[in-house]
Amino acid sequence: MASHIGRRKFLATLGGAVAAWPLAARAQQPAMPVIGFVSNASPEVYAIRLRAFRQGLKEAGYVEGKNVEVEYRWAEGQNNRLPALAAELVHRQVAVIAASSTPSAFAAKAATATIPIVFGVSVDPVKVGLVASLNRPGGNLTGVTNLNVEVGPKRLELLHELLPAATTIAMLVNPTSPSTAEPSSRTLQAAPRALGLQLHVLHASTERDFDTVFATLVQLRAGGLVITADTFFLAHSEQLAALTVRHVVPTVYAYRSDQIEYYRLVGNYVGRILKGEKPADLPVQQSTKVELIINLKTAKALGITVPLPLSGRADEVIE
């Protein structure tokens, strides 16, 4: 009898051990690293950019869902949400944070001084205080900068080329992105005088502001509008285009950095940091390729004839 009870105890113990083996095996498997991705845009707007970001990760040996996870945080155009979203990623203890805009980069920097951050910004990161230098960033940040702010005067020259008779031009900036709005405004200050134009700076940070902006453009009798590089405006590009046609105000935000190259570089740096490189040792890269996109359909609706030399210079012409 005692032998029978002992045998049952042995089997029960053995059964418990067998059941525990898969748990132990799973516990021994290293957890996948987690990337935090924070943006002031929405995933719909960033579809092409996310594909490029994942391509950069792949070049460094990482594939989302296979050997790395990505936690996304989207502010949906509301920059005031970014500090809380960045704090969530820090609390999640992600391995590295990808900050996909200038406001996102500042929010991430304020949230952590230890977790590596790879930014994608349109301003000089040294001038705005994100890094100590381009070659040796120092600290926990590095990343990629593009030419979206620097090509601001090019947008103005393009508008002047399209509308040589216009003398009054307006520029649209987002005041909730001062790190982008202020450099954009400074960059454009000298250009209007050289072209004999008068420049008015208008502000919009919500959809409700757009109607006011276009009403003001009509009051100013502005010949055209230059839209600065800002994720909020990108997210509402279709709405802005519709207002442009309705109010017959030619608008330019055609010159921009090549977004595929830009986000591929961001993804690649994130992957390299996951492999063990330190952000302090990775020089800030500059995405130097700029695209010129011309929408002939909108130009026709506005009664504008695009000069052939200009359309010939375009990287993309939308018929």
Side-chain angles (χ1 to χ4, degrees), residues 53-133:
F53 174 76
R54 290 169 185 141
Q55 177 60 35
L57 276 178
K58 188 175 181 181
E59 290 170 5
Y62 291 94
V63 177
E64 184 178 358
K66 290 188 176 180
N67 59 352
V68 70
E69 294 179 17
V70 184
E71 289 265 349
Y72 297 97
R73 297 292 185 274
W74 303 99
E76 305 283 350
Q78 300 177 49
N79 288 339
N80 60 341
R81 294 180 56 198
L82 288 169
L85 296 178
E88 284 180 19
L89 294 175
V90 173
H91 181 71
R92 175 73 172 79
Q93 296 183 323
V94 296
V96 57
I97 295 175
S100 73
S101 66
T102 308
S104 304
F106 276 103
K109 183 179 182 182
T112 178
T114 54
I115 296 175
I117 298 167
V118 178
F119 55 70
V121 299
S122 57
V123 295
D124 184 331
V126 177
K127 286 183 179 178
V128 298
L130 284 172
V131 295
S133 76

Side-chain angles (χ1 to χ4, degrees), residues 110 209-210 234 315:
D209 295 333
F210 292 153
L234 176 67
D315 297 280

Side-chain angles (χ1 to χ4, degrees), residues 278-301:
K278 299 183 184 302
D281 300 329
L282 292 172
V284 174
Q285 299 184 78
Q286 187 173 61
S287 175
T288 56
K289 186 177 179 182
V290 177
E291 298 175 312
L292 171 58
I293 302 170
I294 295 177
N295 192 322
L296 290 180
K297 184 179 179 181
T298 303
K300 185 178 180 180

Side-chain angles (χ1 to χ4, degrees), residues 247-264:
H247 293 277
V248 197
V249 179
T251 303
V252 170
Y253 49 113
Y255 273 110
R256 69 181 186 191
S257 287
D258 185 324
Q259 300 297 294
I260 294 176
E261 177 196 33
Y262 179 54
Y263 280 91
R264 182 187 64 78

Side-chain angles (χ1 to χ4, degrees), residues 154-170 195-198 217 221-226 244 247-252 298-307 310 313:
K154 285 286 185 184
R155 294 188 181 101
L156 195 61
E157 290 172 15
L158 174 61
L159 194 58
H160 184 59
E161 192 172 347
L162 281 170
L163 305 163
T167 56
T168 301
I169 302 294
L195 297 171
L197 300 172
Q198 185 178 7
L217 289 171
R221 297 184 179 178
L225 174 67
V226 175
T244 292
H247 293 277
V248 197
V249 179
T251 303
V252 170
T298 303
K300 185 178 180 180
L302 294 171
I304 299 172
T305 301
V306 178
L310 181 57
R313 299 201 309 267

